[in-house]
Amino acid sequence: MTRRLAKAGYVALASFLADVPREASALPFRLKLLVDCSGSMAGDSMEAARGALHRILAGLAPQDRFSFSRFGSTVVHETQGLVHAREAHVAAAAWQLGSMQADLG
């Protein structure tokens, strides 16, 4: 997406979701999710980040481990280190993603 900014030129936003191969030799998977929640992420950018993170969480197996942190002017750790991607932890992270805002400065 490209937007025209008044008197400033152009800004481009690019994002991707990597297709991580699930090979038996690579299990269990360890992932740190670090999300920019600064004011510049408000609107469409935050919605795109939420969607990508929900897809990532949905692709984790129970033996995988993940951590979830948000940053802006400060850092907020939503998990206490790496947690197993069991149903309860994934559901808690998904709930936190649903209420995630661009409110960290």
Side-chain angles (χ1 to χ4, degrees), residues 33-35 37 68-80 96 103-104:
L33 302 171
L34 182 60
V35 184
C37 288
F68 171 35
S69 300
R70 303 180 306 122
F71 75 94
S73 298
T74 60
V75 176
V76 176
H77 300 289
E78 300 291 356
T79 59
Q80 297 297 316
Q96 291 165 327
D103 59 358
L104 293 180

Side-chain angles (χ1 to χ4, degrees), residues 42-64:
D44 292 342
S45 297
M46 186 57 65
E47 287 300 318
R50 274 193 207 98
L53 290 165
H54 279 295
R55 289 189 302 273
I56 290 169
L57 288 173
L60 295 175
Q63 70 271 22
D64 294 335

Side-chain angles (χ1 to χ4, degrees), residues 12-64:
L13 169 66
S15 65
F16 73 97
L17 178 59
D19 184 22
V20 179
R22 301 290 302 186
E23 298 174 11
S25 64
L27 296 176
F29 193 62
R30 292 183 187 98
L31 177 67
K32 291 190 176 196
L33 302 171
L34 182 60
V35 184
D36 182 354
C37 288
S38 64
S40 66
M41 288 291 291
D44 292 342
S45 297
M46 186 57 65
E47 287 300 318
R50 274 193 207 98
L53 290 165
H54 279 295
R55 289 189 302 273
I56 290 169
L57 288 173
L60 295 175
Q63 70 271 22
D64 294 335

